Amino acid sequence: MVITPATEAFDAVDIIRTKRDGGVLSTPQIDWVIDAYTRGAVADEQMSALAMAILIRGMGRDEISGWTRAMIASGERMDFTDLPRPSVDKHSTGGVGDKITLPLAPLVAACGAAVPQLSGRGLGHTGGTLDKLESVPGWQAGLDNDRMRQILVDVGAVICAAGSGLAPADRKLYALRDVTGTVEAIPLIASSIMSKKIAEGTGGLVLDVKVGSGAFMKSIEDARTLAGTMVGLGADAGVPTVALLTDMSTPLGLTVGNALEVRESVEVLAGGGPTDVVDLTLALAREMLALAGIDADPAAALADGRAMDAWKAMIRAQGGDPDAALPTARESHVVTAPADGVLTRLDALAVGVASWRLGAGRARKEDPVQAGAGIELHAKPGQQVRAGQPLLTLHTDTPERFARALESLEGAYDVVDGGTATVGEVVLERVDTPLA
Ligand code: URA
């Protein structure tokens, strides 16, 4: 039995019982439990029970705000208010083929803002921004704070690994939630994301809350709740925050996988690229520039090469060669359309899992990823295809992975003679007010 020592201000079991029975946790209780968990005085099994009680009972706005503040206070807090440019950041809740950070950060920097992107590596079916950038020859994710600040002054955009000093309580709690079936608790997702973003010191924040099979939030109602909760947390912390709810029922763009997604991002920076990727990049850029108080047209910066110049400078500043050839996988396998008709559905989650099984993602955080692995899409929902036409090309260095990837794609798409697909805009809704 774990007994909280008498020197501690609260008893973990009392706090668990309070939430289990639907009560409200006080700010001192929350401050204590987060601090005590971070220093090991609250055991993993106690925090697991509390996380499950929060998942089932929920939390009020004051509790979530207090929880977020306590997680921020568990580590260092960065400050970019002395930079010569206003800072603004974007966070995506994660999706399949979501490479938007890559063109977006240099684009917004090219328009005059500072974009301090502290990113992570992928775990599970959604890819990580650092894994994608690490496929660029020479590029290094690790930077100290002084170098990060210098790149923000010189280039305006930096994408690097979040140091271990930022919200350490979240790192510990997130790993615990991952193995206790408590990742899905909206108060815990919102406070996890916002504690890191607020600790990072950004002046404004735009959230891309994904909705659909390839996203955490499968329904628009849950996505609205998460978005409204995070917008409220930003407001409570004095960080103006806006959220876009965006479609993740099918992969974003035409590529899924590390080097494949870098290639597509460079196409966007060169003024081309798939419509959904361009539209979402521009929609998020407009929101970020509005929060930064900058009156600029991001479409012009994409068209005239300024965003591409900022990308090259950003890559070079971290040791990368933006002109070097990107790695490609050794083996490929083509999946063809089974019949003539309209591709009415191509499921994001199935494609994400298939790409992960091909080697683009990792099962454990210490696993390596293959830079060239992933999937190219040759058609998107709504398009007419002919029997035998390539639908998807699977890439990997290890061909023994094809069978499991193909299993994931079974039943993942429909080709219907005379069928139709409701293909809407990628941006579904905008949320700029806290949840009531
Ligand atoms: N991303 C995070 O950083 N935290 C969560 O809880 C979920 C997604």
Side-chain angles (χ1 to χ4, degrees):
M1 188 167 87
V2 179
I3 298 173
T4 308
T7 48
E8 296 289 346
F10 293 94
D11 181 1
V13 179
D14 286 343
I15 292 179
I16 297 165
R17 284 199 188 109
T18 303
K19 188 42 77 184
R20 179 197 67 190
D21 297 341
V24 174
L25 301 182
S26 68
T27 302
Q29 282 178 317
I30 289 171
D31 288 345
W32 176 81
V33 82
I34 297 281
D35 174 58
Y37 179 58
T38 311
R39 57 190 165 76
V42 164
D44 274 348
E45 55 270 32
Q46 295 179 311
M47 196 47 132
S48 309
L50 183 57
M52 187 58 83
I54 291 170
L55 182 134
I56 293 166
R57 292 295 193 169
M59 273 180 153
R61 179 164 173 186
D62 288 346
E63 287 177 292
I64 307 176
S65 246
W67 191 272
T68 307
R69 274 197 308 274
M71 295 222 291
I72 296 169
S74 71
E76 65 171 316
R77 192 164 176 176
M78 299 176 80
D79 181 7
F80 294 114
T81 45
D82 61 342
L83 286 180
R85 306 157 172 245
S87 68
V88 63
D89 196 6
K90 183 252 352 182
H91 178 82
S92 159
T93 57
V96 177
D98 183 6
K99 70 275 297 170
I100 300 293
T101 296
L102 275 52
L104 181 66
L107 170 61
V108 173
C111 295
V115 187
Q117 262 279 336
L118 295 178
S119 296
R121 292 195 164 70
L123 192 62
H125 75 276
T126 61
T129 299
L130 300 182
D131 294 324
K132 295 171 196 182
L133 281 169
E134 277 171 348
S135 65
V136 177
W139 189 86
Q140 299 293 326
L143 294 178
D144 63 30
N145 288 356
D146 289 345
R147 180 71 188 133
M148 179 182 178
R149 185 174 289 274
Q150 193 57 48
I151 300 175
L152 281 173
V153 172
D154 296 345
V155 179
V158 64
I159 303 174
C160 61
S164 55
L166 229 49
D170 176 64
R171 182 159 302 118
K172 199 171 170 193
L173 180 55
Y174 190 64
L176 185 75
R177 288 166 54 213
D178 209 20
V179 294
T180 55
T182 51
V183 166
E184 293 82 354
I186 287 181
L188 297 180
I189 299 176
S191 54
S192 165
I193 292 173
M194 293 304 286
S195 61
K196 285 173 287 199
K197 286 289 151 181
I198 295 165
E200 170 198 284
T202 183
L205 180 62
V206 178
L207 298 163
D208 180 358
V209 178
K210 303 278 181 206
V211 193
S213 78
F216 263 120
M217 298 294 117
K218 309 291 180 202
S219 76
I220 191 94
E221 292 78 17
D222 283 350
R224 278 187 200 122
T225 305
L226 178 61
T229 305
M230 293 195 288
V231 167
L233 290 175
D236 292 348
V239 179
T241 301
V242 170
L244 298 184
L245 310 191
T246 73
D247 181 46
M248 188 33 67
S249 57
T250 203
L252 198 52
L254 294 170
T255 58
V256 181
N258 300 312
L260 290 168
E261 293 191 40
V262 173
R263 189 190 77 196
E264 189 168 274
S265 303
V266 172
E267 285 166 19
V268 171
L269 288 159
T275 312
D276 55 350
V277 180
V278 176
D279 287 354
L280 184 52
T281 303
L282 289 174
L284 291 164
R286 289 191 184 103
E287 295 290 352
M288 289 170 77
L289 292 169
L291 285 182
I294 294 173
D295 181 16
D297 175 12
L302 266 190
D304 65 17
R306 278 177 291 145
M308 178 66 99
D309 291 344
W311 160 261
K312 291 189 173 189
M314 181 181 90
I315 294 296
R316 284 195 188 104
Q318 285 169 253
D321 178 355
D323 301 313
L326 290 165
T328 51
R330 283 193 287 274
E331 307 284 339
S332 62
H333 176 96
V334 177
V335 175
T336 56
D340 289 355
V342 172
L343 179 66
T344 55
R345 187 179 64 89
L346 177 58
D347 183 69
L349 178 61
V351 175
V353 171
S355 172
W356 172 63
R357 289 182 175 172
L358 289 167
R362 51 172 71 78
R364 293 168 310 155
K365 61 181 188 322
E366 53 281 3
D367 291 346
V369 294
Q370 293 182 20
I375 299 184
E376 281 178 278
L377 281 54
H378 303 293
K380 297 271 280 187
Q383 284 180 359
Q384 179 79 38
V385 296
R386 301 197 69 81
Q389 169 190 327
L391 271 189
L392 304 165
T393 303
L394 280 51
H395 298 275
T396 183
D397 291 332
T398 37
E400 58 276 18
R401 292 172 177 265
F402 282 131
R404 292 274 288 137
L406 289 167
E407 251 172 51
S408 163
L409 293 169
E410 275 167 25
Y413 51 89
D414 296 318
V415 174
V416 180
D417 190 18
T420 52
T422 36
V423 184
E425 297 293 319
V426 64
V427 178
L428 305 172
E429 286 181 23
R430 179 176 188 278
V431 176
D432 62 4
T433 47
L435 196 69

